Amino acid sequence: MYKIISNKKLAENIHEMIIEAPRVAHSAKPGQFIILIIDKKGERIPLTIADYDKEKGTVNIVVQAIGYSTKKLVSLKENEYIKDFAGPLGNESEFVHEDIEILKNKRIVFVGGGVGSAPIYPQVKWFSERNIKTDVILGFKNKDFIILKEEFEKLNCNLHICTDDGSYGFKGLVTNKLQDMLDNEEIDEVITIGPMIMMKFVSKLTKKYNIKTIASLNTIMLDGTGMCGGCRVSIGGKVKFTCVDGPEFDAHLINFDEAMNRQTTFSDIEKKHSCRLDGAING
């Protein structure tokens, strides 16, 4: 059993939870994910690691409550327990293995959207801890949905926040802000995590500038072992499984249209089940 140290609401239906999981925290690296099961009847929930503290033995996850299991997860309180918390799973980010001196001479821009901002945090933190400054573009619907702003501001990064309606920061999409930077500054690499459609257009944009781009397909993972086949994607025309081969891939090789079709395959069925199961949580 894994103890919930805290459960903090960041925005509507978005919670940050800190879980006591010393072994996972000890081995965790940026880019990796965990799978948790709430109780003996629970389904597997894959979530990218949003932060970890090796000394305290804790792992942070950010959860968007959109289905039965995630709604039940965020309803749990501090000092309650979840049944299983397995990880770290998946491959760590590629930059972890790069030469630090080479990285110091690179201009790397992170582009995140919505809840995708959370898995970007440990990556930017990794650079910050090595005194490497990065640029971070985060996009949200409006100011009420901004998450982890204060946490990013404490890191060694240039933070650019975009909102669709202009209620905070840059008015427009992350691709609009990225376009500005690409037109006026030297950029070596882009790393993007967020909605599939956002990553698709980030990839299309950077391809025009021939800039290396990495995207995380964390949102299509299911069982975390590659056995279910639910996270199958086409990368450069080859079949890959996101949970064991990724979750990060060369964005210019990803067939985003195919991946988005897979994401919506069961959306109608999920909506019907969500309505029926809401009552199980609420009472």
Side-chain angles (χ1 to χ4, degrees):
M1 300 292 281
Y2 295 84
K3 187 177 181 180
I4 298 170
I5 302 301
S6 69
N7 180 353
K8 176 184 175 184
K9 184 177 180 180
L10 300 179
E12 187 65 30
N13 295 328
I14 301 174
H15 287 239
E16 180 182 42
M17 303 178 76
I18 300 178
I19 311 297
E20 188 176 65
R23 291 184 179 178
V24 180
H26 178 74
S27 304
K29 294 183 176 65
Q32 294 183 304
F33 67 98
I34 59 91
I35 286 184
L36 65 84
I37 297 175
I38 298 172
D39 52 37
K40 63 181 181 181
K41 295 183 179 179
E43 63 176 343
R44 293 178 175 210
I45 304 176
L47 293 165
T48 309
I49 293 171
D51 198 8
Y52 48 89
D53 188 318
K54 295 182 188 296
E55 292 186 2
K56 293 180 180 177
T58 57
V59 176
N60 297 32
I61 54 174
V62 172
V63 185
Q64 185 171 25
I66 54 176
Y68 171 72
S69 293
T70 48
K71 287 178 181 176
K72 185 172 183 179
L73 177 60
V74 302
S75 73
L76 298 176
K77 296 178 175 58
E78 181 181 319
N79 294 326
E80 290 189 308
Y81 290 83
I82 56 178
K83 178 177 176 291
D84 294 319
F85 194 87
L89 301 169
N91 298 302
E92 61 268 30
S93 300
E94 182 181 292
F95 59 74
V96 171
H97 301 289
E98 292 189 49
D99 186 277
I100 295 298
E101 294 306 315
I102 293 176
L103 286 176
K104 284 181 178 177
N105 292 316
K106 280 187 176 182
R107 181 81 181 276
I108 297 179
V109 179
F110 289 88
V111 182
V115 183
S117 306
I120 283 180
Y121 177 75
Q123 301 192 342
V124 177
K125 183 180 176 183
W126 186 92
F127 279 93
S128 182
E129 289 173 343
R130 288 155 182 79
N131 296 316
I132 304 174
K133 196 163 192 171
T134 56
D135 287 83
V136 181
I137 303 173
L138 302 180
F140 304 94
K141 186 187 305 181
N142 59 50
K143 63 181 177 59
D144 294 330
F145 286 88
I146 296 173
I147 63 170
L148 303 176
K149 173 177 169 288
E150 291 76 17
E151 286 80 358
F152 276 102
E153 287 177 336
K154 293 175 184 175
L155 302 180
N156 184 22
C157 69
N158 297 315
L159 178 62
H160 310 276
I161 291 183
C162 308
T163 50
D164 295 352
D165 63 357
S167 55
Y168 189 93
F170 178 86
K171 182 179 181 180
L173 304 175
V174 292
T175 44
N176 300 135
K177 183 62 184 177
L178 180 61
Q179 174 89 63
D180 284 349
M181 296 180 69
L182 292 171
D183 286 340
N184 298 292
E185 302 172 46
E186 291 290 329
I187 307 296
D188 296 298
E189 185 173 335
V190 172
I191 299 173
T192 183
I193 307 177
M196 199 72 74
I197 188 69
M198 182 205 81
M199 294 191 291
K200 174 185 174 179
F201 282 97
V202 167
S203 175
K204 288 182 70 172
L205 179 60
T206 57
K207 195 169 186 178
K208 290 194 297 185
Y209 292 81
N210 194 30
I211 293 176
K212 178 182 178 180
T213 302
I214 301 293
S216 175
L217 302 182
N218 58 343
T219 56
I220 63 172
M221 294 187 297
L222 290 177
D223 76 338
T225 67
M227 297 295 289
C228 75
C231 65
R232 188 170 64 248
V233 290
S234 295
I235 309 294
K238 297 180 180 178
V239 174
K240 299 286 184 181
F241 295 90
T242 301
C243 56
V244 292
D245 296 318
E248 297 180 354
F249 298 101
D250 182 337
H252 296 161
L253 299 179
I254 296 172
N255 185 333
F256 282 106
D257 292 332
E258 179 192 70
M260 285 189 287
N261 285 336
R262 293 183 66 81
Q263 269 191 314
T264 58
T265 300
F266 300 105
S267 57
D268 290 340
I269 297 173
E270 287 174 347
K271 286 176 184 175
K272 294 175 184 175
H273 277 271
S274 178
C275 293
R276 184 161 55 85
L277 291 170
D278 277 348
I281 298 174
N282 299 325

